[in-house]
Every structure is written in structure tokens, then in C-alpha cells.
């Protein structure tokens, strides 16, 4: 029996971090627009408050969406993972370049501008870069608590409505598989040589869970699974691929079969896969 997309998303206990970052980013952008409008920043103080609010919303919101996309791409690249200040500066720089032209157009529509000259473009760009740098830093600080990380291990007995966990047979491989090269190159440098524990679908991204932490990559689940054909593991759910060596126990929780991983993750198993996993010897007899 195949589960639909909605239930696959709801089933994941680690989902919605991208949505949380997006909502926080939009909230920060709205607050910034309100503050800049109230202060009459960059010479807008002579305009009525309502017009200032509309202007700054039209200026800040496109930059917020640009920032989300650029930030996701830079984090996926991972080249500045250990140099966060440089990563913030790079995101702000990349956002400010196209956003400056958006600001010029919006300014012309609201207030009119003189003849557009290289000096005028430079002035707009410097102002946009400064504001973008501040907002990017605020977003990084605000979202620090939902950046990819390895969850703390939670005892299975503490889970609500949890049946006694069934240990995985000791015949399982002792070491989790290496990350396939085509997948590893999308990860930050510090994760590329780690061992793969699981892959989780989050919207249009995949969260790659390793024994050294986790990170988002832009890839389809079907493509990632194709790279893992020979790896000791299985796609246990529409939204999850799991390395067999990472599984420590499993059991029914609130009417659903769940797997406990060595990292502390709890992974749902689809109905279609439950019997296949048991038949393949993932669990001890009687599970």
C-alpha cells in the first residue's frame, strides 16, 4: 500500500526546518520593513507613513526571497561551512547584486529617480549591500537553532505509546556505508568522508544524516537511491532511505512501525515495507 505525499511529510519527526526558516525570514523582513519605514530611512522620511510602509515592503520582501534561495545554495555548496562570517558576507554580496536593480525600479515607481547613472547605481548598491548584510546576519542568528545537527539520543522506553523495541539482529553490517561520491560532493567538506546513516526528503531537498552531522542537498530521492543500489540499506518510507547498520531497534509506536537509529533519529516504516524488512532479517524473530 503506497502512502501519499502529505502523510509522508507529516510522518517525519524532523521535517519542517525549511518552512521554519522561511517563516522566520519573512517575519524578520516584515519587521525590518516596518522599522525602516518608521525611521524614514534613506531619504523617505518626507513621504506619508503608509507610502513608506508600502515602499519598504516592496523593497525588503523580494530581497528576503532572494536571500532564502542564495543562502540555501551557499549552504549546499558548503565551502564556507567552517567560516560563517565569510559565508554571511558571500550571501549578502550575491543577493545585493540583483536586488539593487529591483530597488532602483521600485524607487522609480514610488518616488521617481533622476537619470540612472553608474554613480546612482553604485549608491543604491552600497545601501542595499549594507541592509542585506545586516538582515543576513540576523537571519543566520535567528535560524541557528534549526540548522542541521545530529539529534540527541532518546531512550525508546520514553516514547509515548511505544511498544518494547525489537533489537536488530547482530548479523547486520557493523559499519554504515560510505557516502557515494556524487552525493558526497554536494555536502560540506567535513561531512564527505563520514558514514551514511539515513537520507530524509524535505520538500525539494534531501537531508543527508551522517555519523558526523547532517546537511541539506538539492537532489531527488529517486536519484539518491539510485546511487545507493549496492549499499546495505533500504528505502523504508517514501521520505526515507536508511542504512541497515544505523538501525538499533524498531517497534510499533501509536499504530505505526518506527525504526530507532544510532543517532537518535526515529524513522517511520511504510506498510508496504514492513514485511519486506522482516523477511530480509532486519529484526529479530517475533518482531
Amino acid at each position: 500500500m503506497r502512502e501519499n505525499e502529505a502523510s509522508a511529510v507529516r510522518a517525519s519527526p524532523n521535517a519542517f526546518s525549511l518552512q521554519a526558516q522561511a517563516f522566520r525570514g519573512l517575519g524578520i523582513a516584515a519587521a525590518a520593513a516596518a522599522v525602516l519605514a518608521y525611521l524614514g530611512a534613506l531619504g523617505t522620511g518626507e513621504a506619508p507613513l503608509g507610502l513608506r510602509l508600502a515602499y519598504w515592503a516592496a523593497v525588503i520582501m523580494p530581497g528576503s526571497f532572494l536571500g532564502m534561495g542564495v543562502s540555501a545554495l551557499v549552504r549546499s555548496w558548503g565551502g564556507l561551512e567552517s567560516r560563517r562570517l565569510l559565508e554571511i558576507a558571500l550571501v549578502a554580496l550575491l543577493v545585493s547584486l540583483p536586488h539593487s536593480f529591483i530597488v532602483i525600479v521600485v524607487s522609480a515607481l514610488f518616488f521617481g529617480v533622476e537619470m540612472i547613472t553608474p554613480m546612482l547605481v553604485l549608491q543604491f548598491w552600497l545601501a542595499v549591500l549594507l541592509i542585506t548584510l545586516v538582515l543576513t546576519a540576523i537571519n543566520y542568528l535567528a535560524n541557528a537553532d534549526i540548522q542541521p545537527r545530529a539529534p540527541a539520543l532518546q531512550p525508546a522506553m520514553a516514547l509515548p505509546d511505544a511498544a518494547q523495541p525489537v533489537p536488530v539482529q547482530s548479523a547486520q553490517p557493523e559499519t554504515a556505508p560510505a557516502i557515494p561520491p556524487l552525493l558526497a560532493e554536494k555536502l560540506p567538506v567535513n561531512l564527505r568522508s563520514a558514514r551514511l546513516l539515513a537520507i530524509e526528503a524535505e520538500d525539494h531537498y534531501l537531508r543527508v544524516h551522517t555519523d558526523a552531522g547532517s546537511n541539506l542537498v538539492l537532489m531527488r530521492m529517486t536519484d539518491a537511491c539510485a546511487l545507493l543500489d549496492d549499499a546495505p540499506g533500504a528505502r523504508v518510507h517514501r521520505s526515507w532511505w536508511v542504512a541497515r547498520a544505523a538501525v538499533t531497534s524498531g517497534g510499533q509506536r501509536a499504530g505505526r512501525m518506527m525504526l530507532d537509529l544510532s543517532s537518535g533519529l526515529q524513522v517511520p516504516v511504510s506498510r508496504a515495507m514492513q514485511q519486506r524488512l522482516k523477511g530480509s532479517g532486519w529484526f529479530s524473530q517475533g518482531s
Side-chain angles (χ1 to χ4, degrees), residues 14-122:
N14 310 287
F16 306 119
S17 65
L18 283 177
Q19 293 93 323
Q21 292 183 45
F23 282 126
R24 286 188 184 183
L26 291 176
I28 291 169
V35 170
L36 291 169
Y38 177 78
L39 295 176
L42 300 182
T44 60
E46 298 298 322
L49 179 60
L51 182 62
R52 299 202 305 265
L53 284 170
Y55 168 77
W56 281 109
V59 164
I60 295 295
M61 287 303 178
S64 179
F65 286 109
L66 275 173
M68 292 177 200
V70 171
S71 179
L73 290 174
V74 171
R75 286 173 179 167
S76 177
W77 167 54
L80 297 175
E81 178 72 16
S82 60
R83 307 177 72 178
R84 189 50 53 89
L85 291 179
L86 287 180
E87 184 174 289
I88 292 172
L90 177 60
V91 171
L93 177 62
L94 294 177
V95 171
S96 68
L97 295 173
H99 192 214
S100 296
F101 293 96
I102 295 175
V103 173
I104 291 173
V105 171
V106 172
S107 299
L109 292 174
F110 274 80
F111 303 111
V113 295
E114 300 175 358
M115 182 174 60
I116 298 176
T117 64
M119 183 57 66
L120 181 66
V121 173
L122 178 61

